[in-house]
Amino acid sequence: MSSSEKDITVVHLMRHGEVHNPEGVLYGRRPGYHLSDLGREMADRVAEHLAGRDITHVVASPLERAQETATPIAKAHGLDLATDERLIEAENVFEGKTFGVGDGALRKPANWKYLTNPFRPSWGEPYIEQVVRMMGALNAARDAARGHEAVCVSHQLPIWIVRSFVERRRLWHDPRKRQCTLASLTTFTYRGDKIVSVGYSEPARDLVPAHLLAGAKPVKGGSKAFGA
C-alpha cells in the first residue's frame, strides 16, 4: 500500500433498518424497540454489500435497533462490535407519542410551546450539539480505522445533520426532504484528518417501503418512521 493510500480512510455512516413499531410511536431514545423481520433483512443485505470492503472497525449507537443492524456487518468481518454513545438518536420531547402527519398533534395547544423555534430546534436536542457529538464519533471511527474503512450505525436525524454541516448547508430543514433512507450509507472519505468527499448509497433500497424512501410524500399515520 502506498503512502497516499494509507492516508485515505473511509467512514460509512449507516442508518439502522426498519423497526417493529405497530403502534406508530415516536420512539426516539426509548429502549425496547427492535428491528422488524424486514429490518433484519435490510441489515443482512448491507452486510453482504460491504462484505468485500476493507472494514476494520464497526461501531453503533447503544440503542437496540442500531446494535442489531451493525451485528451482521461486524460478524462478516470477524470484528467485535463497539458502542459509541455519541451515535445515539436525537433527543425529542415528543418521545412516546404518536406525532405523524395528519394526527392533529400540531393543533394541540399543549404542544405549541415546543414548536416556537425550528432553527434550534425548540422541541429537541439543538442541531449544533448533534453536529459536535456526531463529528466526534466520526473522527473517532476514522482514527480506529486509519488507512482502512469503518462503519458507524446511527439514526436518521443525526446523520442528516452532520452531513448537512459537512456539506455546508443550513441545519434547519424540512424532514420530508432528508436523503437518509432506512439502511442507507452516507460515506465520508478522509485524506488524513480532513473530509474530502461525501457519498450516499442505498444497498437495500428495494426492501424499503415506497412511502419511506427519501422525498416520498408523507402518509396519514406515518409517525412510525418519523425521526428514526
Side-chain angles (χ1 to χ4, degrees):
M1 182 182 292
S2 68
S3 59
S4 61
E5 290 174 321
K6 290 179 182 178
D7 202 34
I8 298 296
T9 307
V10 176
V11 179
H12 304 281
L13 188 51
M14 180 182 177
R15 184 182 173 193
H16 61 79
E18 185 190 62
V19 174
H20 180 66
N21 182 22
E23 295 82 17
V25 171
L26 180 63
Y27 36 78
R29 294 181 174 182
R30 291 188 164 209
Y33 285 89
H34 297 267
L35 293 183
S36 65
D37 289 342
L38 180 60
R40 286 190 286 273
E41 187 176 355
M42 291 175 182
D44 289 340
R45 171 71 62 82
V46 178
E48 292 171 6
H49 174 77
L50 295 173
R53 304 299 293 253
D54 182 26
I55 293 168
T56 61
H57 181 64
V58 181
V59 60
S61 154
L63 296 173
E64 293 99 330
R65 57 192 184 272
Q67 295 277 316
E68 292 164 0
T69 299
T71 294
I73 300 172
K75 183 177 179 180
H77 292 272
L79 300 170
D80 291 331
L81 175 59
T83 299
D84 191 330
E85 295 280 348
R86 292 172 293 189
L87 293 169
I88 200 167
E89 175 64 289
E91 189 175 27
N92 192 308
V93 298
F94 295 111
E95 280 184 17
K97 300 179 181 179
T98 55
F99 195 71
V101 175
D103 69 359
L106 293 177
R107 295 193 297 271
K108 297 176 182 177
N111 291 334
W112 293 350
K113 61 184 177 181
Y114 300 118
L115 304 172
T116 56
N117 185 355
F119 307 104
R120 183 178 185 267
S122 52
W123 55 83
E125 182 184 11
Y127 292 139
I128 192 61
E129 291 183 11
Q130 294 179 53
V131 168
V132 170
R133 65 176 172 85
M134 290 296 288
M135 285 301 301
L138 284 176
N139 291 341
R142 172 205 64 200
D143 292 343
R146 286 276 184 183
H148 304 279
E149 301 186 27
V151 177
C152 306
V153 181
S154 186
H155 308 268
Q156 185 190 59
L157 179 56
I159 294 172
W160 181 248
I161 289 299
V162 75
R163 177 182 172 183
S164 296
F165 173 78
V166 170
E167 295 182 330
R168 299 185 179 182
R169 288 193 303 273
R170 67 190 186 199
L171 301 184
W172 59 274
H173 61 283
D174 181 343
R176 297 168 297 181
K177 296 182 179 180
R178 296 173 190 159
Q179 189 183 41
C180 190
T181 295
L182 289 166
S184 61
L185 297 172
T186 300
T187 300
F188 300 82
T189 299
Y190 288 81
R191 184 179 297 279
D193 290 345
K194 182 180 180 180
I195 295 173
V196 294
S197 69
V198 180
Y200 176 78
S201 60
E202 299 175 351
R205 182 181 176 85
D206 61 303
L207 300 177
V208 179
H211 71 283
L212 298 183
L213 291 169
K217 184 178 179 180
V219 295
K220 186 173 182 179
S223 56
K224 59 186 173 183
F226 190 90

